[in-house]
Amino acid sequence: MAVISIVSKKELECGTRIDAEYYRPEYAKLEEILLASNPLPLKKLVKSIKSFGAYSLMNQVTYQEKGIPFLRAIDIKEGYADFSNVVRITKDAHKLLWKSEIKPRNVLLAMSGSVGNSCVASDKWKYPINSSQDLAKITVADIINPYLLSTFLNSKYGRFQTQRLPVGSIQQHVFLWQIGLIKVPLLTNIQEYIACLVQNSETKLQESENLYFQAEQILLSELGLHSWKPRHTLTYVRSFSQVAKASRMDAEHFQPKYKELREIIRNYSSGYLKLIDIAVNSNETIEPHANPEHDFEYIELADINQTIGVIENAKIINGKDAPSRARMLLRNGDVIASSVEGSLDKVALVSEEYDGAIGSTGFFVLRPRTVSSGYLLALIKSIIVHEQMHCEASGTILSAVPAKSLKNIIVPNIQQEIQDAISALVQQSHAARREAKTLLEKAKRAVEIAIEEGEERAMEFLSR
């Protein structure tokens, strides 16, 4: 059903916006509630709002595997930065882009792509860190805590304002002068409590990563692979019979590192199995277009946090709007793994929250048969399976791992007690991450209550 807003000419925002989207009824209602809290424009609460990262200078910068982290809008989530897929630049590039350097306690705000996502540059991060021109870096004045400002921006009262900001027809973008006009309430009584919640969330996120790292180290140490580094060999010789047996002749497939890894697995004291012996590649599919008006949760490669193997979020899509690749039915306990060579590190455990969601056909959906989901996740994310996936990838334009090649992947037959220890650490890791997100949601809701019902009611909510 169509929704109509009628706005008089004098109500048009400074005469600069006449697009209907800007005047949606729900935005008007949220603005009315916000104005009752006597907010101030953001520019009066900060020392500076900067972006920099000149487009012309970016032509001289290339991304590296190692170096100084270079945060982009896509790396900023609600309340934290995701470094799992961060690109890096050299020290020379960092010097060239010195104006884009992130400083501790900067409030970061995505200005394109995931517009409106905000977090605070933590004192716990390892600096230096640089950033793209699509990230606003806000230095607050003493009047407001950076954690309160970031939490407000992520709340519905900050969101409706940032969702109004993007301009442009092809690639929408937000300008710095627009950010300065965002209306922000001064919630002085709760801001230290909000900061405490967000900082506790940071601690939980770090705990989550540490627990997962421990699980991974137990697995790799069992095979003596904790310090093993796959080495790319420039020249090597293979016989015609080996080429014929593999039914392929591309040099990458015969890299010595893959043979070395498989020999380590085959020589494991408790033996080895095929991956398909411990997990089945599910072909269970669903056709969203059969329910055109139904909403589905859709998960694709960009929704995966590869650091600890969790689904970051899911998009809500209408059945009739579902892309053709939205077909894989996901079940609680499945492990989804990218089949696309450039994204093989995109592996995640499907939690109960996403039971019944739809995954992209770019995933293998591996359903445990004889092992736990947590152990299977750690195994597939590790170099034990990851490197073999690289070996099996084929194709010219978009290289990917064929489903039939899963039968070639072997895994160590790890003793049950070690599997259980690994699985327990994975589960603890994911539980810590859920706690972190719960703390961020509580902080956000407290800010919304303070705006709607006053800070006293927000304090009551915080004390529960």
Side-chain angles (χ1 to χ4, degrees):
M1 181 182 294
V3 178
I4 299 174
S5 298
I6 299 177
V7 182
S8 65
K9 183 178 179 181
K10 65 180 181 180
E11 292 178 292
L12 294 179
E13 190 73 18
C14 304
T16 60
R17 298 293 293 266
I18 62 171
D19 47 309
E21 181 69 18
Y22 188 90
Y23 299 97
R24 288 168 57 178
E26 58 265 39
Y27 290 170
K29 184 176 180 180
L30 290 170
E31 185 166 35
E32 182 182 354
I33 296 171
L34 178 61
L35 289 175
S37 66
N38 299 315
L40 295 172
L42 179 59
K43 62 184 178 182
K44 292 190 176 182
L45 302 174
V46 302
K47 294 178 181 178
S48 64
I49 306 174
K50 299 178 180 178
S51 172
F52 300 117
Y55 287 95
S56 58
L57 295 179
M58 285 303 299
N59 293 330
Q60 305 175 47
V61 175
T62 56
Y63 297 145
Q64 314 287 320
E65 289 188 10
K66 296 182 179 181
I68 293 169
F70 187 79
L71 286 176
R72 300 161 296 171
I74 193 175
D75 301 315
I76 305 303
K77 310 300 179 183
E78 284 197 11
Y80 64 97
D82 178 10
F83 284 87
S84 66
N85 201 33
V86 72
V87 296
R88 297 177 182 273
I89 59 174
T90 63
K91 290 182 179 180
D92 288 340
H94 176 64
K95 290 179 181 178
L96 184 66
L97 300 172
W98 62 273
K99 288 185 177 181
S100 299
E101 184 175 4
I102 292 173
K103 300 293 185 181
R105 296 178 71 80
N106 277 164
V107 175
L108 307 179
L109 179 66
M111 300 167 63
S112 68
S114 52
V115 172
N117 281 359
S118 176
C119 73
V120 177
S122 172
D123 294 327
K124 299 176 182 178
W125 292 358
K126 294 181 180 180
Y127 294 88
I129 299 174
N130 213 299
S131 64
S132 75
Q133 63 276 358
D134 293 325
L135 274 189
K137 290 161 282 291
I138 304 168
T139 303
V140 301
D142 293 338
I143 194 172
I144 190 169
N145 188 294
Y147 290 98
L148 174 66
L149 175 58
S150 178
T151 304
F152 168 77
L153 291 171
N154 288 323
S155 76
K156 62 184 178 184
Y157 293 100
R159 280 283 178 187
F160 93 84
Q161 295 185 79
T162 52
Q163 286 170 358
R164 278 176 147 187
L165 298 181
V167 295
S169 54
I170 299 176
Q171 184 175 2
Q172 293 197 321
H173 189 80
V174 174
F175 294 104
L176 292 177
W177 68 266
Q178 294 174 296
I179 295 172
L181 299 178
I182 293 174
K183 302 177 183 71
V184 182
L186 276 179
L187 305 174
T188 54
N189 294 333
I190 67 166
Q191 63 178 349
E192 293 304 323
Y193 294 91
I194 296 299
C196 185
L197 282 175
V198 179
Q199 288 172 321
N200 286 344
S201 174
E202 290 176 358
T203 301
K204 282 292 179 182
L205 285 173
Q206 187 59 58
E207 179 186 335
S208 173
E209 293 183 14
N210 292 341
L211 286 164
Y212 190 87
F213 179 76
Q214 291 175 41
E216 188 175 55
Q217 288 305 296
I218 290 174
L219 175 60
L220 296 180
S221 295
E222 182 64 15
L223 275 77
L225 289 169
H226 58 283
S227 59
W228 185 74
K229 301 291 184 185
R231 185 179 60 185
H232 190 86
T233 305
L234 293 179
T235 61
Y236 43 92
V237 177
R238 292 292 181 266
S239 66
F240 176 76
S241 61
Q242 290 173 303
V243 172
K245 184 178 179 180
S247 298
R248 53 191 296 180
M249 56 184 295
D250 51 305
E252 177 63 26
H253 179 75
F254 296 99
Q255 270 284 335
K257 61 182 178 181
Y258 301 134
K259 181 180 179 181
E260 179 186 351
L261 175 61
R262 282 175 165 145
E263 283 302 309
I264 293 172
I265 298 170
R266 288 190 178 98
N267 292 328
Y268 177 60
S269 58
S270 296
Y272 67 95
L273 302 162
K274 290 185 177 182
L275 177 61
I276 58 175
D277 291 331
I278 65 172
V280 60
N281 181 31
S282 172
N283 291 317
E284 193 176 6
T285 59
I286 188 171
E287 180 47 71
H289 290 273
N291 294 285
E293 300 305 320
H294 184 72
D295 285 338
F296 294 89
E297 287 186 309
Y298 174 51
I299 297 160
E300 51 189 348
L301 295 177
D303 300 319
I304 303 301
N305 180 306
Q306 62 205 46
T307 302
I308 64 168
V310 294
I311 297 171
E312 195 75 66
N313 55 264
K315 300 173 181 65
I316 304 300
I317 58 171
N318 202 252
K320 65 177 181 293
D321 299 323
S324 59
R325 61 185 179 276
R327 293 179 53 203
M328 305 308 297
L329 183 61
L330 308 182
R331 301 291 190 188
N332 179 29
D334 287 345
V335 174
I336 54 177
S338 170
S339 62
V340 181
E341 186 178 27
S343 305
L344 292 177
D345 48 2
K346 297 288 189 177
V347 182
L349 176 61
V350 179
S351 63
E352 186 176 358
E353 178 185 0
Y354 296 109
D355 184 44
I358 301 175
S360 165
T361 52
F363 289 119
F364 291 125
V365 180
L366 298 166
R367 196 156 290 165
R369 298 176 62 184
T370 61
V371 298
S372 68
S373 297
Y375 172 70
L376 182 62
L377 172 72
L379 192 61
I380 295 173
K381 268 181 56 58
S382 74
I383 56 175
I384 294 170
V385 171
H386 183 269
E387 287 298 315
Q388 293 184 74
M389 288 278 206
H390 271 299
C391 177
E392 296 300 327
S394 61
T396 51
I397 298 176
L398 185 62
S399 185
V401 180
K404 64 181 181 181
S405 294
L406 291 177
K407 70 179 185 297
N408 298 329
I409 295 175
I410 59 174
V411 295
N413 186 22
I414 302 288
Q415 297 175 19
Q416 189 61 51
E417 57 267 30
I418 298 175
Q419 287 189 34
D420 291 343
I422 293 169
S423 182
L425 285 168
V426 170
Q427 295 300 333
Q428 291 169 35
S429 168
H430 289 191
R433 185 176 183 80
R434 287 194 296 272
E435 288 181 50
K437 298 196 80 170
T438 297
L439 289 170
L440 290 175
E441 285 300 316
K442 185 173 184 178
K444 188 167 66 174
R445 183 60 192 138
V447 167
E448 293 170 352
I449 291 172
I451 294 169
E452 295 164 358
E453 304 177 47
E455 290 191 75
E456 186 175 339
R457 291 297 298 274
M459 289 291 288
E460 292 175 9
F461 172 77
L462 289 168
S463 64
R464 293 175 189 169

